[in-house]
Amino acid sequence: MSTRGKRNKIQICECGESISEEVWKWVIDDSQKALEKEPAMQGLLRDVCLSRSCLAEAIVARLARKLSRRDMSREDLEPVIREALNANPCIIECMARDLVAIADRDPACHSPLEPLLFFKGFHAISTYRIAHWLWQQKRYMLALQFQSVSSEVFGVDIHPAAQIGSGILLDHATGFVVGETAIIRNNVSILHEVTLGGTGKEDGARHPIVESGVLIGAGAKILGRVTIGECAKIAACSVVLNDVAPHTTVAGVPATVVGSAAFTPALDMNQELCP
Amino acid sequence: MSTRGKRNKIQICECGESISEEVWKWVIDDSQKALEKEPAMQGLLRDVCLSRSCLAEAIVARLARKLSRRDMSREDLEPVIREALNANPCIIECMARDLVAIADRDPACHSPLEPLLFFKGFHAISTYRIAHWLWQQKRYMLALQFQSVSSEVFGVDIHPAAQIGSGILLDHATGFVVGETAIIRNNVSILHEVTLGGTGKEDGARHPIVESGVLIGAGAKILGRVTIGECAKIAACSVVLNDVAPHTTVAGVPATVVGSAAFTPALDMNQELCP
Amino acid sequence: MSTRGKRNKIQICECGESISEEVWKWVIDDSQKALEKEPAMQGLLRDVCLSRSCLAEAIVARLARKLSRRDMSREDLEPVIREALNANPCIIECMARDLVAIADRDPACHSPLEPLLFFKGFHAISTYRIAHWLWQQKRYMLALQFQSVSSEVFGVDIHPAAQIGSGILLDHATGFVVGETAIIRNNVSILHEVTLGGTGKEDGARHPIVESGVLIGAGAKILGRVTIGECAKIAACSVVLNDVAPHTTVAGVPATVVGSAAFTPALDMNQELCP
Amino acid sequence: MSTRGKRNKIQICECGESISEEVWKWVIDDSQKALEKEPAMQGLLRDVCLSRSCLAEAIVARLARKLSRRDMSREDLEPVIREALNANPCIIECMARDLVAIADRDPACHSPLEPLLFFKGFHAISTYRIAHWLWQQKRYMLALQFQSVSSEVFGVDIHPAAQIGSGILLDHATGFVVGETAIIRNNVSILHEVTLGGTGKEDGARHPIVESGVLIGAGAKILGRVTIGECAKIAACSVVLNDVAPHTTVAGVPATVVGSAAFTPALDMNQELCP
Amino acid sequence: MSTRGKRNKIQICECGESISEEVWKWVIDDSQKALEKEPAMQGLLRDVCLSRSCLAEAIVARLARKLSRRDMSREDLEPVIREALNANPCIIECMARDLVAIADRDPACHSPLEPLLFFKGFHAISTYRIAHWLWQQKRYMLALQFQSVSSEVFGVDIHPAAQIGSGILLDHATGFVVGETAIIRNNVSILHEVTLGGTGKEDGARHPIVESGVLIGAGAKILGRVTIGECAKIAACSVVLNDVAPHTTVAGVPATVVGSAAFTPALDMNQELCP
Amino acid sequence: MSTRGKRNKIQICECGESISEEVWKWVIDDSQKALEKEPAMQGLLRDVCLSRSCLAEAIVARLARKLSRRDMSREDLEPVIREALNANPCIIECMARDLVAIADRDPACHSPLEPLLFFKGFHAISTYRIAHWLWQQKRYMLALQFQSVSSEVFGVDIHPAAQIGSGILLDHATGFVVGETAIIRNNVSILHEVTLGGTGKEDGARHPIVESGVLIGAGAKILGRVTIGECAKIAACSVVLNDVAPHTTVAGVPATVVGSAAFTPALDMNQELCP
């Protein structure tokens, strides 16, 4: 395994300007190494990374390749994604922070190149970011189409009106469901089969708020307009129907408090009930 | 959001004849509005709606576009779907009732055009309806192929021999599994990751019966030949191994009774334990 | 249903040599019968079975058809899969044992032809077997690409470094997640939405070990370096954070012992808590 | 060869109404026979003929299958072709007369089913008919795209502004070029590599007029605003730069009169210089 | 250019058995060299050559890749081509002789690998060989479909009933047309835009016979049941309406004798009128 | 037709720098007008023009869309084309001059947008320019693959070693064949089915030289190392086996002098024998 040992993670200087440029250098560097080791990957590496000039162009190519279906071809997808990334430069910075978060928190991941190419959690959140921009432009139908394609391709169903911060790790991703009025702050880690769902038929705010630093275990269902406090931990398969205080761990069906939580569960990724 | 406010839902006169014609007018009406607002959608809107003469032809186009894979091309799929819809006119009426149910119960949905184009729950149940017709014709292999493609495309695995009524809302849909001898009556609402599973290796009746008006929360597993009584509610992530009485709410692993249920949980979509 | 009655299962003589040849005869035999009953299936039957000379060539065709996407075309996939099967003949024998296990344990399955053509659980495990061989050859990037495509196509996310034995039934399959250091022995039956996950950020052995004969119910999450003893049974939706003794049944969130288990739960497929 | 013997050609009653209905019965009849003889053709036969209700719908399917490219998918093509055929019912009648002409004049053709499915001359003229209708609606760009796709798929380049009658046999078709102001009357037979070209850079009428009953041999080039008189014959590889009188045969580079012509060369298909 | 210098052509021992095995060794040898020089070609080289075990399997892959269209997918094509090559081993030997002929006679060609991968003349003749076998099996419709696809993909239209020998060089190929009763013997070289056409509407023998050793220049049209004698030469753009004596050169419209011909014009490829 | 009247052609200042920038403004201007007139074209217009930043990126998209086949996907093609255009900026200037030449000389063309989107003559010459650059880099196999794909897609077969200047109008294009050692200077106009062919089997210089200002009519074959002098005119269907003096017109099989030629036949496009 030593050949796959982690390189020193980049120190992200928050005061500095563009994380996406820093990430892009890392991606290109690792793409060239990968090309030498595995010539069979050259098609993907050249199309998505080595023939591109910046992270945004790489994202355009990567998402359009993945989402291409009979409903929307790569030809249809690329102009829309490019338009969104050009119109709002924050989007690419959020994607860059997601890549850094994944490389930092996932022990099976050794470079942002891996999620950029292969992790459907990253692809699904990035697709949501495009759909969310379309929704903000009141292009509702096209936003719904991106949501629909994401649900088909990744098994991830995020309503384009939901609000999601940066530094998100969505691990494995299959079955992730997020409702229309849900809010997720920065630096949150979420395992697969998690639901941030609504209740009832009213159309006001009816989905959860997840504060920063939270870790949500696989299979957890959080339902209704509840707030998961900062740095709380939701154990796997919990059903959460009430607010969760910051820095606490909840578990069970329905979920009850079982302990306090580590400084930042989202960064530790510790799934145990007693941290 | 006011631009996406709901129009008055059509009053479905049960004594009247064809709901599909009523739904079709609504779909065409909203397609034309959508075309004006979002020219980038014109390809999909024209192919599936505006160039078609009835709901059945729109369904043929929509399902064939979605299911088209290397295993079955759009060219292979359309004649089979058309044949089923022509042979049994009840199928299109069931699909029309599903569309009305979704527009009625899902607060994020404003027109049957949305599930027709985008909701994989509707697409998956519709695919099952075709597969079920094939199974009834004893075309077992082709029916299994439709099941297999549905499982790949939507993550929804419904055995073609199962029996499912009309007015079904399958919300988000990913991970829905229904076994060979399961029965679902009319007007049922089911969230994602629900299993109506079997137990053991006998091949008689071994999967659940779900009566009318039931609401099943996300992640619930109902296993064995148990009956979920009329208008019962199964809370999220419950594991149900025994019969559930009508108008009761059950929760937990294994599930126990936690309260009564609203008049018709399937219509209220209230996920709370105490209605 | 009698037309779909089971034929006598083949007696697999463990001392004999190649199960794959035995299975292949069965597959060809049933392919010819299927062709007569359903001419509309001839394209698939001829490409995958009737024009092939052995099970390995059929697997090459079947996997390449299923996995073919914009990222890897059928043309890219076939040479890699063929190379793996040629290099390590054990792989095809494992696949043959999986086919026999499915036909034996799944009451809705009547021939190995059905999982070969249609069951994504079989397709996903087979894809893992190719990815695992690539990982052993230190072709990490290509192995990760197979994992990524499997997660997209089947909703099944198995790290290529994991170790999985033969005679595996992965039923329905959607949402199955297996971490980097997990180990699954022979003759295990696993339902959908099961997770064999890690905990924390260390990169040593951090995922479960599942011994032979185990049955894992739908939605169960097993987290951390715990051992599930031989012939244990994990009930649906259980969250397992500690070792489970052989021949015991556990259930709940978190899981506790609720009884002993049948001789070999994986073969009985009995999902009840008290066997 | 007797199994491929010609059936009695239908007597087309010119005073009667719709030739397309007559042709459609013939096509369906022969499709069913073909399906029995060659099950491997069932995909094409069902999609284009047996699942359709009239010749127009069959043409929509046939052309969209053939022209489908990355530039225009089948999904993009079908609504346009359907729109043209609905708007101007003469188009489908012209296509029906073309089919009858081919079955009548080509000794290697035994049924209108063959050109409908396989003859690119028929496909190319039919594509022109759609492009011409688009041109008449002043949808110039889309008309040019149909011309461009026809040139790519069939090697046939007909300007959409050209005027072409009915009962046209375009045999083999590769390399046929027709300029913007060319006119072709009814019942003309044209072999491959024929050019009806312009001369100079003026943009008025500058391409040939071909009167009824004319036969143009392979490789002939007719250049400038010349008129080919009724029932004239142009020998293979001739270069025609001047008017040709009715009922004469011309040959050579440049072409000179070498004899008179049969009653109707287009119907005889006699390529010899002395009829 | 020296890096592209010709290797010594293999001495084909006519008394020996299989030319296809000899050619296959040459192809594999040059594939490995090509792979080293041009990694970007690895996809094609591996799929068509390096992962195959014999020339026949390489031909199956190469033709199916090229002919794959919406009408017949690669999946539909491979079983048919494989069936033909298995049923009649002479076909692969004819293809091998064609490859040797091209490498021998075309000065721009340095290895049989080049026509195998890239020369549409070779692909078109090989497609005809499959269609001809289908015609012999009385599978007329499928044979016509191969002819139709060849005409679309290559611009080469050879009736499947025509008879063509081995050692054929069809150079550039676009526009080649061969009628139903034409006969071409062995070791003939034919440039592009050549027609072996019929005349009239009778359906007996009505197309040319081309004897061995003949060279036919670009654009030549040979019409009617005429015989082109052994080792004759037809100059470019000639129109031949009468028999041509052996070892003579004809030219013009209509063609007249302009000289004698070299020993074997097909091998010299000398296009001049006076050899 | 007035709505399609020509705008004033741009005055190309030869002393100025980049024609491609001038052409690009024209293309974008006309794309926006086209988008307003024909919304159905928006997919193509946005992908190829409106979402691009310069003519080179538009060419990358346009060629990759057109050439995309099973052998080389759009994903494979784009990095190679982009690499060539980046490495040698003269290529895009040649393409820009071709576009201006077409808009100037073809009376049916009203904007460089039309050949950029639709004219296969322009697409084929542009594909040759990429293949020629690959050949210069000694990437022979990949160059041959581009030639092969061009021959399949456009019916245009230009050897990548040939040398072709700028300002080329290749009208209709089907059947154009150019040999390995042919040379074409600047500002030449060539109709379809023209061959610049070799003779014999020697591999030295054996194909024609075409000087500036020449016009070659449809179907003409020029064979051997002959020189077509400046501003000469070759009539349609001529067979040229000897040098042609500057400013002369030749015609016939074989071609003889029939008159002098206009100042610059390539610009006049007058096909008559006596100018």
Side-chain angles (χ1 to χ4, degrees), chain D residues 1 3-4 38 41 62 65-66 68-69 104 107 118 120 153 172 192-193 237 267-271, chain E residues 70-71 135 139-142 145 148 151-152 157 175 177 180 195 198-201 206 221 239:
Chain D
M1 280 294 297
T3 62
R4 292 195 26 94
E38 181 60 270
M41 297 293 300
R62 175 71 289 199
R65 274 176 85 114
K66 268 289 174 194
S68 169
R69 287 289 183 282
D104 186 48
F118 298 133
K120 77 181 185 185
V153 176
H172 305 300
H192 49 288
E193 290 168 25
C237 286
L267 305 187
D268 292 341
M269 296 297 287
N270 186 322
Q271 310 290 329
Chain E
R70 193 157 288 261
D71 269 9
W135 191 267
R139 301 177 69 178
Y140 301 122
M141 287 292 277
L142 197 53
Q145 187 165 26
S148 169
S151 180
E152 175 186 337
D157 189 352
V177 171
E180 186 177 5
T195 296
T199 180
K201 289 173 61 181
R206 63 193 185 283
K221 312 291 180 232
V239 175

Side-chain angles (χ1 to χ4, degrees), chain F residues 208-224:
Chain F
I209 298 170
V210 178
E211 299 289 352
S212 295
V214 168
L215 169 66
I216 307 179
K221 311 293 180 230
I222 308 175
L223 305 174

Side-chain angles (χ1 to χ4, degrees), chain C residues 62-135:
Chain C
R62 174 71 288 200
L63 289 190
R65 275 175 84 113
K66 268 287 175 196
L67 299 175
S68 169
R69 286 289 182 283
R70 194 157 286 263
D71 269 9
M72 285 201 289
S73 68
R74 182 166 180 179
E75 284 69 26
D76 297 330
L77 286 156
E78 286 209 351
V80 177
I81 302 170
R82 191 176 286 120
E83 189 185 354
L85 295 180
N86 285 344
N88 184 354
C90 289
I91 299 174
I92 194 69
E93 293 306 313
C94 284
M95 291 171 176
R97 282 167 199 271
D98 290 348
L99 288 171
V100 171
I102 299 164
D104 186 48
R105 294 177 215 161
D106 180 348
C109 171
H110 303 75
S111 157
L113 179 62
E114 294 174 22
L116 174 63
L117 293 183
F118 299 132
F119 287 17
K120 78 180 187 187
F122 173 70
H123 298 155
I125 296 283
S126 296
T127 301
Y128 150 80
R129 296 194 190 286
I130 304 300
H132 183 61
W133 178 82
L134 288 167
W135 191 267

Side-chain angles (χ1 to χ4, degrees), chain D residues 1 3-4 6 30 34 37-38 40-41 44-45 62 64-66 68-69 73-75 104-108 110 113-114 117-120 123 152-154 171-174 192-193 218-219 236-238 251-253 267-273, chain E residues 69-72 80 134-135 138-157 159 161 174-180 192-195 197-203 206 219-221 223 237-239 241 253-254:
Chain D
M1 280 294 297
T3 62
R4 292 195 26 94
K6 295 220 174 200
D30 286 3
K37 280 193 202 151
E38 181 60 270
M41 297 293 300
L44 185 62
L45 288 167
R62 175 71 289 199
R65 274 176 85 114
K66 268 289 174 194
S68 169
R69 287 289 183 282
S73 68
R74 181 165 182 179
E75 283 70 27
D104 186 48
R105 294 177 215 161
D106 180 348
H110 300 76
L113 179 62
E114 293 174 22
L117 294 182
F118 298 133
F119 287 16
K120 77 181 185 185
H123 299 154
E152 176 185 337
V153 176
F154 307 122
D171 207 8
H172 305 300
T174 312
H192 49 288
E193 290 168 25
C237 286
S238 304
V253 183
L267 305 187
D268 292 341
M269 296 297 287
N270 186 322
Q271 310 290 329
E272 291 166 32
L273 294 186
Chain E
R69 286 289 182 284
R70 193 157 288 261
D71 269 9
M72 284 201 290
V80 177
L134 288 167
W135 191 267
K138 301 196 191 309
R139 301 177 69 178
Y140 301 122
M141 287 292 277
L142 197 53
L144 290 176
Q145 187 165 26
F146 271 80
Q147 176 190 12
S148 169
V149 172
S150 170
S151 180
E152 175 186 337
V153 177
F154 307 122
V156 171
D157 189 352
H159 196 284
T174 312
F176 187 43
V177 171
V178 179
E180 186 177 5
H192 49 288
E193 289 168 25
V194 164
T195 296
T199 180
K201 289 173 61 181
E202 305 312 305
D203 61 1
R206 63 193 185 283
K221 312 291 180 232
L223 304 176
C237 285
S238 304
V239 175
L241 300 167
V253 183

Side-chain angles (χ1 to χ4, degrees), chain E residues 119-122 124 154-157 170-177 190-194, chain F residues 151 157 177:
Chain E
F119 286 17
K120 79 180 185 187
F122 173 70
F154 307 122
V156 171
D157 189 352
L170 175 59
D171 207 8
H172 306 299
T174 312
F176 187 43
V177 171
I190 301 173
L191 276 284
H192 49 288
E193 289 168 25
V194 164
Chain F
S151 179
D157 189 352
V177 171

Side-chain angles (χ1 to χ4, degrees), chain F residues 54-135:
Chain F
C54 63
L55 185 60
E57 275 301 307
I59 290 281
V60 168
R62 174 71 289 196
L63 289 190
R65 274 176 86 112
K66 268 288 174 197
L67 299 175
S68 168
R69 287 290 182 284
R70 193 156 287 262
D71 270 8
M72 284 201 290
S73 67
R74 181 166 180 178
E75 283 70 25
D76 297 329
L77 286 156
E78 286 209 351
V80 177
I81 302 170
R82 191 176 286 120
E83 189 185 353
L85 294 180
N86 285 343
N88 184 353
C90 289
I91 299 175
I92 194 68
E93 293 306 313
C94 284
M95 291 171 175
R97 283 167 199 272
D98 290 349
L99 287 173
V100 170
I102 298 164
D104 186 48
R105 293 177 216 163
D106 181 347
C109 171
H110 301 75
S111 156
L113 179 62
E114 293 174 22
L116 174 63
L117 294 182
F118 299 132
F119 287 16
K120 78 181 186 186
F122 173 70
H123 299 155
I125 296 283
S126 297
T127 302
Y128 150 80
R129 296 195 191 283
I130 304 300
H132 183 61
W133 179 82
L134 288 167
W135 192 267

